């Protein structure tokens, strides 16, 4: 199909590729079988131009039966199709200098395009920017439609079955995006009317009450006097002693606004039930850094004075870069019989409206879609100490986390 109409480079290029599957043992990589693209006006979200073509691979016998079962493209289908060198100019003209968009394109389609141009000795097209709707919708729309595959999202909105053909999948992707944007717009506009029931694996979103939680006693870094921080040993039923970090006459509780997520939930360490000990890594400002460094120094000295032989782990991560400091915010898990959930209250702020996320059960995968790197979060947390096996240090326990989201996803 030839590209129709004219226009500048301001259109968004939604595209999709169909490929062969690699041979067993990885001997043969992906070969293009089909390319399809739709240029969309970013202002009206209407289709401006479209283009699709089958592509004959250098070795048609590389089209495995598993590939044919997926998209129906067999060696006979592409026998008279052009080779990639014959369509490379058209593909380049469509993609180069435009914003690229598609479902999981960052993880697959973009790499396939670059490899195809490399194989013919040509420089690949370069995007002005990339919109991958897989992580975008996972973050903004959540897993209420199940997994984030295009087929699942299309089924959720009643758009029919995915055909696994490039141009059809691109059109389906655009319609899914429009549907998600409409739902999010309605939810943000009338949060008290729309109570969203989502699969148990994710959460139920309900309007948050005014003020969410009681934030009394949480201090911003500039409100903390370092001279008034103290670390004292108090009795504990679980160990010989426990360090309590205080500010003046009460436990030190901190809040800091607009922290940027550096890494989502970690699964490196497990609890006694085999569940990951969840924490997120966020960048912190210099004001918070000074407060936590003072806490760390006092707590470490108190630990050493109590004859502890545990290795002290600094609370602030330096990350190997100057002026780059980050911390781990721990998300504790509370067991309730055989079930478990989080004690941290998690909210989402959408265009000034606050929505509380209530998790039906422990689901660390759901948190992945919320705490995406780059997301800003307001954190309310307390400062505790820990001593685990040969390590000791400060743990920052998140009491409330408020994620900032935009009203529109495009």
């Amino acid at each position: 199909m030839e590209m129709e109409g004219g226009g500048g480079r301001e259109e968004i290029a939604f595209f999709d590729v169909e490929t062969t599957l690699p041979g067993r043992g990885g001997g043969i990589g992906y070969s293009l079988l089909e390319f399809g693209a739709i240029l969309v006006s970013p202002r009206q979200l209407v289709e401006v131009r479209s283009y699709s073509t089958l592509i004959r691979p250098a070795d048609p016998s590389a089209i495995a039966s598993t590939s044919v079962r997926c998209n129906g493209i067999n060696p006979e289908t592409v026998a008279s199709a052009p080779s990639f060198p014959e369509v490379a100019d058209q593909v380049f003209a469509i993609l180069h200098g435009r914003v690229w968009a598609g479902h999981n394109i960052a993880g697959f389609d973009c790499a396939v395009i670059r490899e195809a141009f490399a194989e013919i000795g040509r420089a690949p097209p370069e995007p002005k920017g990339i919109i991958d709707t897989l992580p975008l919708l996972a973050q903004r729309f959540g897993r209420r439609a199940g997994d984030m595959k295009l087929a699942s999202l299309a089924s959720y909105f009643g758009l029919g079955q995915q055909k696994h053909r490039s141009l059809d999948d691109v059109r389906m992707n655009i319609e899914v995006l429009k549907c998600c944007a409409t739902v999010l717009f309605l939810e943000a506009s009338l949060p008290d009317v729309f109570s969203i029931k989502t699969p148990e694996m994710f959460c139920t979103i309900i309007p948050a009450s005014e003020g969410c939680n009681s934030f009394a006693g949480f201090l911003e870094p500039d409100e903390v006097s370092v001279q008034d921080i103290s670390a004292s040993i108090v009795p504990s039923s679980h160990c010989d002693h426990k360090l309590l970090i205080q500010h003046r006459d009460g436990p030190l509780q901190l809040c800091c606004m607009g922290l940027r997520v550096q890494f989502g939930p970690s699964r490196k360490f497990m609890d006694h039930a085999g569940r990951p000990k969840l924490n997120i890594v966020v960048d912190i400002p210099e004001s918070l850094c000074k407060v936590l460094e003072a806490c760390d120094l006092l707590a470490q000295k108190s630990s050493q004075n109590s004859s502890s032989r545990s290795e002290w782990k600094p609370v602030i991560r330096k990350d190997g870069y100057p002026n780059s400091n980050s911390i781990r915010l721990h998300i504790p898990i509370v067991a309730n019989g055989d079930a478990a959930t989080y004690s941290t209250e998690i909210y989402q702020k959408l265009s000034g409206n606050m929505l509380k996320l209530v998790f039906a059960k422990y689901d660390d995968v759901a948190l992945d879609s919320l705490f995406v790197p780059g997301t800003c979060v307001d954190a309310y947390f307390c400062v505790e100490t820990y001593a685990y096996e040969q390590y000791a240090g400060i743990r920052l326990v998140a009491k409330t986390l408020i994620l900032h989201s935009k009203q529109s996803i495009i």
Side-chain angles (χ1 to χ4, degrees):
M1 181 189 302
E2 291 297 326
M3 185 69 78
E4 301 170 355
R9 315 305 291 178
E10 70 276 3
E11 304 114 333
I12 300 173
F14 280 83
F15 74 96
D16 178 74
V17 300
E18 295 296 328
T19 69
T20 60
L21 298 177
R24 292 185 178 179
I28 301 176
Y30 296 96
S31 296
L32 274 170
L33 294 177
E34 189 174 40
F35 173 86
I38 293 177
L39 299 186
V40 173
S41 165
R43 299 185 185 279
Q44 292 86 21
L45 294 181
V46 295
E47 181 176 326
V48 177
R49 294 180 282 170
S50 66
Y51 171 80
S52 69
T53 180
L54 288 165
I55 299 171
R56 185 181 72 253
D59 181 12
S61 66
I63 303 176
S65 57
T66 51
S67 173
V68 176
R69 285 196 297 270
C70 177
N71 52 39
I73 301 175
N74 57 38
E76 291 73 28
T77 307
V78 296
S80 59
S83 64
F84 183 71
E86 295 176 271
V87 298
D89 285 343
Q90 185 69 280
V91 173
F92 188 95
I94 294 166
L95 296 179
H96 187 66
R98 287 192 169 96
V99 173
W100 297 0
H103 206 67
N104 195 33
I105 59 170
F108 184 73
D109 303 70
C110 293
V112 170
I113 291 295
R114 292 183 183 278
E115 290 172 5
F117 276 90
E119 287 177 359
I120 63 173
R122 287 187 52 174
E126 295 296 338
K128 184 186 297 183
I130 295 177
I131 301 172
D132 191 328
T133 58
L134 175 58
L136 176 66
L137 295 184
Q139 177 191 2
R140 303 292 172 81
F141 193 71
R143 295 177 182 268
R144 66 184 81 178
D147 62 36
M148 297 308 295
K149 293 180 179 179
L150 185 61
S152 300
L153 289 162
S155 176
Y156 180 82
F157 288 112
L159 298 175
Q161 293 186 338
Q162 183 182 3
K163 296 181 180 180
H164 292 284
R165 295 300 298 269
S166 293
L167 206 58
D168 291 322
D169 285 2
V170 171
R171 287 200 171 98
M172 178 171 280
N173 189 9
I174 295 171
E175 291 307 309
V176 162
L177 197 59
K178 289 179 180 178
C179 290
C180 289
T182 300
V183 171
L184 292 174
F185 175 80
L186 292 173
E187 291 172 2
S189 301
L190 297 170
D192 293 325
V193 174
F194 295 100
S195 179
I196 307 112
K197 300 297 183 181
T198 60
E200 188 181 22
M201 65 173 287
F202 182 61
C203 61
T204 300
I205 306 178
I206 61 176
S209 59
E210 187 73 24
C212 309
N213 190 9
S214 176
F215 295 147
F218 288 88
L219 302 175
E220 294 191 34
D222 292 337
E223 298 176 304
V224 177
S225 171
V226 172
Q227 290 77 14
D228 291 331
I229 299 175
S230 62
S232 57
I233 298 175
V234 296
S236 174
S237 58
H238 300 291
C239 56
D240 296 334
H241 66 273
K242 180 179 179 180
L243 284 173
L244 178 65
I245 299 178
Q246 293 182 291
H247 182 256
R248 296 175 181 157
D249 299 326
L252 179 60
Q253 298 187 108
L254 296 166
C255 62
C256 201
M257 308 297 112
L259 301 177
R260 190 169 296 276
V261 175
Q262 191 180 101
F263 296 106
S266 167
R267 299 169 179 80
K268 186 176 180 180
F269 302 104
M270 300 291 177
D271 64 12
H272 65 280
R275 293 182 293 258
K277 290 183 176 181
L278 298 177
N279 59 73
I280 61 172
V281 176
V282 296
D283 296 325
I284 60 171
E286 186 62 28
S287 57
L288 180 56
C289 187
K290 290 179 180 178
V291 173
L292 294 178
E293 283 179 337
C295 294
D296 208 44
L297 184 61
L298 286 170
Q300 183 179 13
K301 184 180 294 185
S302 296
S303 177
Q304 292 170 342
N305 291 341
S306 66
S307 302
S308 172
R309 297 181 179 179
S310 299
E311 178 185 349
W312 191 263
K313 305 290 287 185
V315 67
I316 297 175
R317 296 161 48 109
K318 295 297 183 181
D319 299 322
Y321 300 100
N323 302 320
S324 177
N325 301 309
S326 61
I327 56 172
R328 289 185 175 92
L329 291 174
H330 179 59
I331 300 176
I333 300 169
V334 177
N336 183 12
D338 295 332
T341 186
Y342 314 109
S343 64
T344 302
E345 290 190 340
I346 302 177
Y347 294 83
Q348 198 164 30
K349 184 179 283 187
L350 298 166
S351 301
N353 296 308
M354 202 82 77
L355 301 175
K356 183 177 181 180
L357 309 184
V358 181
F359 294 80
K361 64 177 183 178
Y362 169 88
D363 184 359
D364 57 309
V365 175
L367 293 185
D368 281 337
S369 65
L370 294 172
F371 295 99
V372 177
T375 302
C376 283
V377 60
D378 298 340
Y380 295 77
F381 56 96
C382 63
V383 182
E384 297 181 353
T385 60
Y386 68 89
Y388 181 72
E389 295 181 350
Q390 73 270 34
Y391 298 109
I394 290 177
R395 177 184 290 114
L396 306 177
V397 180
K399 296 297 186 180
T400 301
L401 297 172
I402 302 174
L403 293 128
H404 292 255
S405 298
K406 295 179 182 179
Q407 178 175 337
S408 176
I409 65 174
I410 52 175

